[in-house]
Amino acid sequence: MVRRIEVTGSGGVRLAAWEFAESPKAAGGRYGGAVGGRAAVRGTGCGAGHGRARGGGGGQASGGGVLLLHGLLGRAAHWAETARWLSARYRTVALDQRGHGRSGKPVSGPYAREAYVADAEAAVEQLGLAPVTLIGHAMGALTAWQLAARRPDLVRALVICDMRASALGAATQREWSEWLGSWPVPFATLADVRKWFGEDDPTLERPAPARGDFYAEVMSERADGWRPLFFRRQMLQAREGYAHDAHWEELAQVECPALVVRGLDGALGRAEAQEMVRVLPRGRYAEIPDAGHLAHYDQPDGWRRVAEPFLEAAVPA
């Protein structure tokens, strides 16, 4: 089960947060059902009620709060598989970050790093999640460790999934701009979305069906076909905020236990990941075989095998 909660982000931006709860039918199992399948948070109802954040908040689990932060171009729905098993132990919330999903997309922004970190901080405080466990993928992982460095009083543990601490460089920003401009939008059907991102995208080295599913979840049907839930110009602005800078200094300021996870075919190389672990005062390392950049999404079983033991040790229920 999942319900939408409204959060007020930095500068008054409206943010959509999604609180997950274990299904009553699955309550007999330790984690509320087997890992497998892929659920999506779509629309505004999600089969449950709406609410506005008022501090504290409900939650059936006693292990503390978890905030899930998606990466660039992502949305809270991409954490649904993870949230299923997390919600049996912890109060689990996924945030649609500004410019993404069902959250606000202010024309004038800002889409700077400071805004994303302030939004996450606001979500933790308004939802009463502290001391929170932050789990982030890609850009969301950077937001997570920047918040952990800024507000160690709020953060209990941290999981970083496939995000580099080194500067990505201006060349990658140009490549991203060209790639976003190559999308054949609007797509006539969701099947076309899955096919293009999973098979036909010229940047792909081999077919990747899970990637097709990933991008299908960030599309919305319009009068002329299926288009992204985000504006590509704003996504480039958000990426600009971290593409040119390294983030080692902030990583070294993270005081809580932290796990760095990479897929063997992901964006984060092994040498850099292990250096990140060395820089983190309480860092640990894990990798997922047969996983790419979307490790938590395309290999949910492997992701759970490395993330769950860390969380059980760092954040006992």
Side-chain angles (χ1 to χ4, degrees):
M1 297 186 298
V2 62
R3 69 184 181 107
R4 175 173 170 170
I5 309 172
E6 298 288 340
V7 173
T8 302
S10 176
V13 174
R14 177 193 56 78
L15 302 173
W18 308 91
E19 182 167 6
F20 293 80
E22 187 179 24
S23 169
K25 291 183 179 180
R30 184 181 179 197
Y31 292 105
V35 174
R38 189 168 282 126
V41 181
R42 292 193 175 90
T44 56
C46 299
H50 296 256
R52 293 194 66 84
R54 288 289 185 268
Q60 81 286 6
S62 59
V66 175
L67 182 65
L68 299 160
L69 298 169
H70 62 75
L72 190 70
L73 312 186
R75 65 180 305 192
H78 290 142
W79 289 113
E81 187 66 42
T82 297
R84 279 202 191 102
W85 55 265
L86 279 174
S87 62
R89 290 177 61 93
Y90 316 104
R91 184 176 174 217
T92 303
V93 177
L95 183 67
D96 274 341
Q97 297 181 78
R98 65 173 57 210
H100 296 77
R102 299 298 178 183
S103 285
K105 303 166 179 62
V107 174
S108 58
Y111 294 96
R113 283 282 79 221
E114 293 76 11
Y116 283 99
V117 177
D119 287 347
E121 182 178 2
V124 171
E125 293 186 323
Q126 291 174 35
L127 298 175
L129 295 173
V132 70
T133 297
L134 297 174
I135 301 178
H137 171 247
M139 183 191 76
L142 176 58
T143 299
W145 89 60
Q146 288 181 320
L147 178 56
R150 176 188 296 185
R151 292 292 307 274
D153 58 305
L154 290 183
V155 184
R156 189 176 185 182
L158 171 68
V159 180
I160 297 167
C161 181
D162 213 63
M163 180 61 190
R164 299 180 59 190
S166 299
L168 304 179
T172 65
Q173 195 69 355
R174 291 192 297 271
E175 290 167 1
W176 263 71
S177 179
E178 293 172 0
W179 177 61
L180 289 170
S182 74
W183 293 14
V185 292
F187 293 93
T189 67
L190 278 180
D192 292 331
V193 175
R194 293 187 175 95
K195 186 175 186 299
W196 195 84
F197 287 100
E199 300 177 25
D200 298 340
D201 183 346
T203 65
L204 276 177
E205 295 182 358
R206 56 183 177 274
R211 186 175 185 263
D213 292 339
F214 181 94
Y215 283 101
E217 291 201 45
V218 298
M219 297 290 165
S220 178
E221 190 173 19
R222 314 286 177 82
D224 60 349
W226 292 83
R227 293 180 177 272
L229 282 166
F230 47 76
F231 297 104
R232 286 172 285 177
R233 176 180 57 82
Q234 293 176 353
M235 297 298 96
L236 285 172
Q237 290 175 356
R239 194 176 189 276
E240 187 81 26
Y242 61 88
H244 302 293
D245 299 319
H247 305 282
W248 293 98
E249 184 175 347
E250 293 156 305
L251 198 68
Q253 296 170 1
V254 174
E255 299 176 359
C256 64
L259 176 67
V260 177
V261 182
R262 63 178 291 268
L264 290 187
D265 294 323
L268 177 61
R270 178 178 289 145
E272 182 171 352
Q274 292 177 343
E275 180 63 13
M276 289 170 65
V277 172
R278 189 192 68 79
V279 168
L280 283 160
R282 302 172 67 184
R284 293 180 59 185
Y285 172 77
E287 59 185 37
I288 304 173
D290 302 319
H293 178 58
L294 307 176
H296 66 300
Y297 188 86
D298 64 20
Q299 294 293 335
D301 292 359
W303 160 252
R304 180 175 178 176
R305 278 194 294 269
V306 300
E308 188 175 46
F310 168 79
L311 295 172
E312 288 183 342
V315 192

